[in-house]
Amino acid sequence: MKKRIVVALGGNAILTTDPSAKGQQQALVQTAYYLADFIEAGHELIITHGNGPQVGNLLLQQQVGATEKNPAMPVDTAVAMTQGSIGYWLENALVDELKKRNISKNVATLLTQVVVSETDPAFQTPSKPIGPFLSKDEMEREKKQTSATYIEDAGRGYRKVVPSPKPIDIVEYPVIQQLVENSIVTIAGGGGGIPVILKDDTYQGVEAVIDKDFASEKIAALIHADMLVILTGVDHVSINFNQPNQSDLTKVRVADMEKYMEENQFAPGSMLPKVQAAITFIKENTNGKAVITSLENIKNLLTEETGTIITA
C-alpha cells in the first residue's frame, strides 16, 4: 500500500573521507541507490538531510579567506548554501538512479526556511555540533583564533557547537505538500532548514543550526506523513550500547522509549535527538510509525519491517 514517507538522511552519510565535491557526489550516488527503493515500491518520498560537516567546513573555508571587503557569510546563509549544493548533488544522483530502473519521476529540491523562537533558551547555550571532528590539539588551536565553543562529541573528537533552537513551523510546508501530491519526489529541509524568526511580519535569518531530525519530524507532521524514517549509522537503536549486555530494539512502544530515555540510554547529540524526534512524530500522528535504522537496511525495512520501529 502506498505510503507518504519522510526520510531523514544524516550529513555524515553524505560526507565520507573525501570532503571534495566529487567525493560527496560519489557518496550520494550510493545513497540514491538505496533511496530509490522507496520510489520503486510506489511510495511518496520526501527526503531531508543533515549538513553539519558541510556547513562547518564551509564556515572554516570562509574564515580563512575572509577580508574586510569580502567578509564571511553568517551561519544561516551558509546553511542555505549547503542546502542548495547537497540538494543539487542528491537530486541529480536520484534522477540518474531512477533512469537506470526505467522509472519516470520528477525530483525537486526546495529551499526551506524553518521558523524558531527568538526567545528559545538554546541561543544562550550553544549545543549543536557542526564541522569536522578535531583532535584536542587541533581544537585548542582553533579556539585561540575564534570565540567559538567546542565540545567532545560521541568519543570521536571535538566539534564546534552553535545554538540549536527547536523548530516551531516550516515556511514552505504547503509547497512541499503540493509537490508530493503531484507525485514529485521532494528534497526539503536540508541541514535542518534555514533558521529564521518572524519579526515585524518578516522572516529574518539567525545564527543557529536546527537539528535535522526535529525539522524532519515537523515536516512529517505538517504534511501528514505515514512514516518518518531516520537514517543513522546502525541498523537498530540499542540499550546498554557498547556494553556486554547490549540489546538491539526492534518493535517498541513510545512508552518504552520514554522509559529508556529516563535511564539515559541514548547519547545526547547522537541517538537521543533521533529518538526524541521519533516520539514527537508519533504523538502528533498516532497512526504513524517512526523508524530508526541504517541506509543499508532500507530494503529489509521495506520487505521485512526490520530496524527499530516505534509505534504508539
Side-chain angles (χ1 to χ4, degrees), residues 25-278:
Q25 285 171 307
Q26 189 55 48
L28 283 168
V29 168
Q30 186 71 4
T31 298
Y33 170 80
Y34 291 109
L35 293 178
D37 287 343
F38 286 107
I39 302 165
E40 191 166 33
H43 299 302
E44 297 176 342
L45 183 64
I46 304 93
I47 305 165
T48 64
H49 61 80
N51 72 343
Q54 292 82 2
V55 75
N57 287 348
L58 177 59
L59 290 169
L60 289 174
Q61 291 163 359
Q62 294 218 346
Q63 286 171 10
V64 170
T67 65
E68 187 176 342
K69 292 184 177 180
N70 186 26
M73 294 294 104
V75 173
D76 60 303
T77 302
V79 170
M81 293 164 73
T82 52
Q83 206 180 86
S85 61
I86 295 171
Y88 153 60
W89 295 332
L90 179 55
E91 180 178 325
N92 286 340
L94 198 51
V95 167
D96 289 344
E97 179 59 34
L98 293 175
K99 284 179 181 176
K100 292 176 185 176
R101 304 189 189 197
N102 294 314
I103 298 173
S104 178
K105 204 79 167 168
N106 289 319
V107 182
T109 301
L110 181 65
L111 203 65
T112 312
Q113 300 174 89
V114 177
V115 183
V116 300
S117 170
E118 190 175 11
T119 60
D120 192 304
F123 285 108
Q124 308 304 319
T125 54
S127 63
K128 179 64 178 174
I130 63 172
F133 289 91
L134 304 176
S135 68
K136 189 171 183 178
D137 289 343
E138 289 172 328
M139 180 269 294
E140 294 290 352
R141 285 197 296 270
E142 290 290 336
K143 282 185 71 173
K144 289 178 182 177
Q145 298 176 22
T146 70
S147 58
T149 302
Y150 290 83
I151 63 166
E152 195 277 330
D153 183 15
R156 298 167 64 188
Y158 293 84
R159 295 176 78 188
K160 178 181 176 178
V161 288
V162 296
S164 184
K166 290 289 195 304
I168 56 178
D169 199 8
I170 310 293
V171 176
E172 290 81 10
Y173 94 83
V175 184
I176 298 172
Q177 184 123 353
Q178 288 180 44
L179 288 169
V180 174
E181 288 172 354
N182 283 278
S183 299
I184 297 172
V185 177
T186 304
I187 301 166
I194 303 162
V196 296
I197 58 171
L198 184 59
K199 201 166 188 177
D200 300 324
D201 291 326
T202 301
Y203 292 116
Q204 301 178 11
V206 289
E207 291 267 314
V209 171
I210 301 166
D211 187 286
K212 73 100 176 44
D213 296 317
F214 292 132
S216 301
E217 181 282 319
K218 185 60 68 177
I219 290 172
L222 287 169
I223 66 169
H224 307 292
D226 301 298
M227 185 183 296
L228 171 64
V229 179
I230 300 175
L231 298 178
T232 185
V234 291
D235 290 349
H236 299 87
V237 181
S238 301
I239 55 173
N240 305 315
F241 184 66
N242 269 346
Q243 298 177 34
N245 60 338
Q246 176 177 321
S247 177
D248 293 340
L249 302 176
T250 52
K251 295 184 178 179
V252 59
R253 300 176 306 160
V254 164
D256 295 321
M257 295 302 278
E258 289 178 328
K259 173 176 171 289
Y260 295 139
M261 282 198 303
E262 290 175 2
E263 297 172 356
N264 297 317
Q265 288 282 358
F266 311 121
S270 179
M271 190 59 75
L272 181 60
K274 294 172 175 55
V275 171
Q276 290 172 324

Side-chain angles (χ1 to χ4, degrees), residues 217 220-221 224-227 253-254 278-290 310-312:
E217 181 282 319
H224 307 292
D226 301 298
M227 185 183 296
R253 300 176 306 160
V254 164
I279 289 173
T280 302
F281 171 68
I282 294 167
K283 286 186 173 181
E284 292 181 350
N285 181 4
T286 54
N287 292 323
K289 289 181 181 178
I310 308 167
T311 60

